[in-house]
Each structure stands twice: as structure tokens, then as C-alpha cells.
Amino acid sequence: MHNAKERALRASRAAARRKSTIEGGLAVKPKPFKVLVAIHRPKYRSRMLRGLSMFDWDVRSLLNKEDPIGILNQHETNILVLSDDFGRNRELGFFKAAQRFRPQGVYIIGVFDTEEDANAASELYDMSLYTPWKSLHAKVVLAELFQRIKGEPPVIRNDVVHEELEEQ
């Protein structure tokens, strides 16, 4: 019996220490910057992921069968990258459904085939990419949105910078 009381006392002390460090601001971790990628075509999806590889952010790339709106409901996300032809998207349905997350701080990047398609849906996204676009364009758009959200420029991963310097 003495052993059980001792374990309970140690557990309560440990919980109190954890609580005090969190309240004292010592163990508070900044929330990771999260990006959700829902692009239908593998060519465009890989370009976007290449552009995102420059930053140290949490990135989730969806398959065509997955539901981006359901994932937005489950997980806090900063940027949603959505193509007009993703999954079962009809008449820009995912774009319209994602509008309710914009007041919560979700920014939407639309990926379109043509400039005309992008202009037709201009009220449904914050920034857009349309063909021909490269991963460099994606980096610029993502960095600009990060600056708009956080108020500071994004931190570039060191290993990526070293790889790019070695290639030159």
C-alpha cells in the first residue's frame, strides 16, 4: 500500500511541474505552420511539393480520394493549396466549401489550367497559380502568404540552401 501512495505522490508532483513549466512559458512550443496540398495532377503536385521543400513546415499532400474539407475540419491548417480539378470537385465545390475556414485564418492558393479559369473564380482564393508555373513561382507565393500571416519572412531550411549552393 505504501508503494501505491508513493507512486501517486510522484505522479501528482510531476503533473504539477509540467503545469508550472507550461504556465511559466518555459515549455510552450510555437505551433507549426501547416500546409495542406490537394492537387490532382502529379506533375503540378510535385512542383508544389518541391516549392514547399524549401521551408520547414508541416505539409500534407492528399490523394484524389481524400477529402480536403474533412481534413480542414479535423486539423488546424494555415494554407490550403487546391486545384480546380481535384478529386470529385464539381463546379469548384471544394473551393466553395473551404470558404467557411477563411475567417479562421486559412488562406487558399488556387491552382488552375488557364488564366481565364483563375480569373473566373477570383473571389474563392487568396492567390493563384496557372500554367505555365514552376516550383519557383510556388516558393514566391508561399513565402508571400507566410509573410502576410506571420508578419515576418519565412525561415529557409539550411540543408536545402547547402544543396542548392553545391549544385551551382
Side-chain angles (χ1 to χ4, degrees):
M1 186 73 175
H2 177 68
N3 204 7
K5 287 181 183 179
E6 189 175 314
R7 278 197 313 259
L9 184 60
R10 277 188 289 184
S12 67
R13 283 190 208 138
R17 277 195 309 273
R18 281 193 302 271
K19 183 179 179 185
S20 69
T21 58
I22 290 173
E23 288 174 355
L26 299 175
V28 176
K29 293 181 184 177
K31 290 183 180 178
F33 194 78
K34 295 185 180 182
V35 180
L36 184 63
V37 178
I39 299 177
H40 173 70
R41 294 189 179 131
K43 176 171 72 170
Y44 298 147
R45 186 173 44 242
S46 65
R47 282 183 195 168
M48 181 56 68
L49 294 175
R50 210 171 314 126
L52 282 162
S53 70
M54 185 74 129
F55 310 108
D56 194 21
W57 299 339
D58 284 353
V59 178
R60 178 158 180 203
S61 180
L62 301 181
L63 302 173
N64 275 341
K65 299 285 183 183
E66 291 180 290
D67 178 22
I69 305 307
I71 298 202
L72 283 174
N73 277 323
Q74 295 171 1
H75 304 288
E76 188 175 317
T77 302
N78 298 99
I79 297 176
L80 170 65
V81 182
L82 186 60
S83 67
D84 61 340
D85 59 350
F86 182 77
R88 300 170 309 277
N89 194 11
R90 301 259 194 277
E91 303 291 320
L92 302 175
F94 286 142
F95 279 94
K96 293 173 184 171
Q99 297 307 304
R100 69 185 177 113
F101 298 101
R102 289 176 93 175
Q104 299 169 12
V106 175
Y107 286 81
I108 301 171
I109 298 175
V111 178
F112 299 93
D113 285 332
T114 64
E115 186 176 2
E116 293 79 29
D117 292 343
N119 291 337
S122 62
E123 71 278 352
L124 298 176
Y125 59 82
D126 297 294
M127 301 187 101
S128 70
L129 295 167
Y130 48 86
T131 53
W133 64 278
K134 299 185 182 325
S135 61
L136 178 63
H137 297 113
K139 287 179 192 178
V140 169
V141 168
L142 291 162
E144 188 175 325
L145 274 181
F146 183 88
Q147 175 102 21
R148 193 183 298 176
I149 294 167
K150 296 287 187 174
E152 59 187 36
V155 176
I156 298 173
R157 289 180 31 200
N158 286 334
D159 56 341
V160 174
V161 172
H162 293 304
E163 288 174 11
E164 288 182 356
L165 289 175
E166 290 173 2
E167 289 176 5
Q168 293 176 356

